[in-house]
Amino acid sequence: MNQLQILAIVLYFAKLAATDPNTPWHRHKIPTFLPQETLKLDKPRFSANATLELMTHCNAECLWKEAHPTLEDLKENLSYETVYTNGTRTLTVVDIPDFDPSTHVLKQHTPARSRRKRQIFGVDGRFDISGKTFLLNFPFSTTVRISTGCTGVLVSDRHVLTAAHCIHDGNDYVKGAKKLKVGFLKENPKAQLTKRSKIPPKLLTRWLRVKRTQVPKGWIRSQNELSMDYDYALLELKRPHDRPHMEITVMPTTDQVAGNRIHFSGFDSDRPGHLVYRFCPIINETPHLIYQHCDAQPGSSGSGVYAKLWLPEKQDWERKIVGIFSGHQWVDLNGMQRDYNVAVRITPLKYAQICYWIKGTYSDCRSD
């Protein structure tokens, strides 16, 4: 029995033990997201070095600030920069009328025993995905390479969601972002699988140029002040691709997530030439972050984190992007220290922003 057959069996029984289908998936009310003014900025220097392994720290003060933003804080963080291929850079100031910041409810973070610094927890639970049958079909076909060394996920016919730190270090855009590209795996027409060989032929990578990038000010204003909370970016391709994409949605409560599990695939640097898949339970969460111990290595940053949610109208489970894999964080609380791998969760406000970036009008984003 090979690794993929074992994976299929594990996922089958995981689904049987999943969340009760009678648990309704609560569709969030999406806030109004209104751009107010667009200002022209100086062209980026593109001087920063790409960071493939993001590590941050957070303590009680950090967690409190995250859970108690003012309305002005939220508007400042959700304002965003746009950079075009000709180097033009703009800042768009936004408003979120009638939004109540008190809806940012703090999820109680409970620390446990301390751990050694690591991104692999216990036995490595990652799976190499190989062969065109898997790699070129949904959901693995929605995973793409970012030319700066990260991973991204297709969220429309021309948009890719990734981590902001893959293209911007908090102070400036990275060197490779000036001519940013997105890589799609494709079949090698010259390669043939012989009867004697059990190893599938390697796939090629087809690169498409990026037309526009958008990054929230919450990441740009200070990498350390807000940690990973706004570590996401949207890339618009110069032309549409021909692959299925995965839809984004607001991260629901954990009791609405199948098996309390999240999943993501990425191009981990310690396994060159392979797409690596993993899944694991959600351990803890805050208003902005999903804490977990999914095994990951540099290169997987920007992977689309998805969950299986029950859709009553379809009477079936469906995969939806609920976060973006960011990196590693130490949490210091009540004299105890714990480390996690962390994903940025898609909140109602972040959904409204990303949806606006994709569709260009807030009226098409009022419900997810």
Side-chain angles (χ1 to χ4, degrees):
M1 184 177 292
N2 62 34
Q3 190 181 42
L4 290 177
Q5 289 173 319
I6 295 172
L7 173 61
I9 293 172
V10 169
L11 293 181
Y12 174 75
F13 284 103
K15 187 172 181 179
L16 291 181
T19 305
D20 182 357
N22 293 320
T23 302
W25 172 32
H26 175 64
R27 294 183 181 273
H28 293 261
K29 181 180 179 182
I30 304 304
T32 301
F33 183 85
L34 292 176
Q36 297 295 293
E37 183 181 12
T38 299
L39 309 171
K40 190 171 182 179
L41 304 176
D42 293 336
K43 290 186 176 183
R45 299 188 306 275
F46 296 105
S47 62
N49 293 316
T51 302
L52 301 185
E53 186 175 22
L54 182 64
M55 291 195 180
T56 61
H57 289 77
C58 192
N59 54 24
E61 181 183 2
C62 161
L63 292 171
W64 190 91
K65 286 182 178 179
E66 179 182 318
H68 299 83
T70 66
L71 186 59
E72 291 306 311
D73 286 336
L74 292 171
K75 290 194 288 187
E76 175 75 9
N77 292 332
L78 290 165
S79 295
Y80 58 91
E81 280 194 10
T82 304
V83 172
Y84 300 87
T85 50
N86 63 2
T88 300
R89 180 169 66 120
T90 62
L91 169 65
T92 302
V93 179
V94 306
D95 189 20
I96 42 177
D98 304 321
F99 183 78
D100 181 4
S102 67
T103 58
H104 251 53
V105 179
L106 175 64
K107 300 286 185 179
Q108 182 62 43
H109 189 287
T110 306
R113 62 183 179 86
S114 61
R115 286 180 171 266
R116 293 179 290 111
K117 173 183 172 183
R118 55 186 170 183
Q119 287 184 292
I120 301 296
F121 300 88
V123 177
D124 192 339
R126 295 174 297 165
F127 295 85
D128 289 342
I129 303 302
S130 60
K132 65 178 184 180
T133 302
F134 291 96
L135 290 170
L136 300 183
N137 285 287
F138 190 89
F140 302 116
S141 61
T142 66
T143 304
V144 292
R145 297 180 186 271
I146 307 300
S147 58
T148 55
C150 289
T151 300
V153 62
L154 302 175
V155 291
S156 86
D157 63 349
R158 61 168 69 234
H159 292 94
V160 176
L161 192 61
T162 189
H165 77 260
C166 294
I167 62 173
H168 196 291
D169 74 346
N171 296 305
D172 189 23
Y173 291 86
V174 304
K175 297 171 183 177
K178 190 172 185 178
K179 295 182 179 180
L180 198 59
K181 296 179 182 179
V182 171
F184 294 74
L185 294 179
K186 61 172 291 188
E187 190 174 2
N188 184 350
K190 296 182 181 179
Q192 293 182 350
L193 180 63
T194 63
K195 293 182 179 179
R196 294 181 179 179
S197 175
K198 295 183 179 180
I199 302 176
K202 290 186 176 181
L203 300 182
L204 301 177
T205 301
R206 175 172 62 99
W207 295 95
L208 294 182
R209 289 290 302 274
V210 171
K211 171 184 176 182
R212 180 176 68 173
T213 65
Q214 291 170 302
V215 181
K217 192 93 181 297
W219 172 259
I220 294 173
R221 64 187 295 200
S222 173
Q223 179 179 349
N224 295 322
E225 181 184 346
L226 285 176
S227 185
M228 298 171 166
D229 298 353
Y230 291 88
D231 184 18
Y232 58 92
L234 191 75
L235 316 180
E236 182 180 350
L237 302 173
K238 279 196 168 182
R239 64 176 186 270
H241 59 81
D242 57 359
R243 302 285 176 87
H245 65 271
M246 201 176 296
E247 294 183 354
I248 65 170
T249 193
V250 176
M251 172 69 185
T253 56
T254 54
D255 64 338
Q256 297 170 335
V257 173
N260 189 37
R261 289 182 177 88
I262 55 171
H263 313 245
F264 61 96
S265 302
F267 295 98
D268 299 46
S269 59
D270 66 329
R271 299 189 182 184
H274 292 277
L275 178 65
V276 184
Y277 165 76
R278 74 230 72 195
F279 65 96
C280 66
I282 298 167
I283 295 177
N284 222 318
E285 53 185 342
T286 72
H288 283 289
L289 302 177
I290 304 168
Y291 290 106
Q292 31 77 23
H293 284 164
C294 280
D295 296 321
Q297 288 291 307
S300 58
S301 292
S303 298
V305 174
Y306 65 87
K308 293 180 180 179
L309 306 176
W310 179 257
L311 273 62
E313 65 273 21
K314 294 184 179 180
Q315 287 295 293
D316 200 0
W317 299 95
E318 187 166 306
R319 300 175 180 90
K320 298 271 189 179
I321 297 293
V322 296
I324 306 94
F325 182 65
S326 179
H328 195 77
Q329 184 175 90
W330 288 94
V331 178
D332 297 304
L333 198 61
N334 300 328
M336 303 186 74
Q337 187 178 70
R338 183 146 190 198
D339 61 323
Y340 299 95
N341 282 338
V342 179
V344 180
R345 67 184 299 155
I346 296 178
T347 64
L349 280 173
K350 291 173 186 173
Y351 175 89
Q353 181 188 54
I354 296 169
C355 182
Y356 177 83
W357 287 346
I358 294 172
K359 298 185 178 181
T361 173
Y362 82 92
S363 60
D364 291 339
C365 303
R366 297 307 301 274
S367 65
D368 67 333

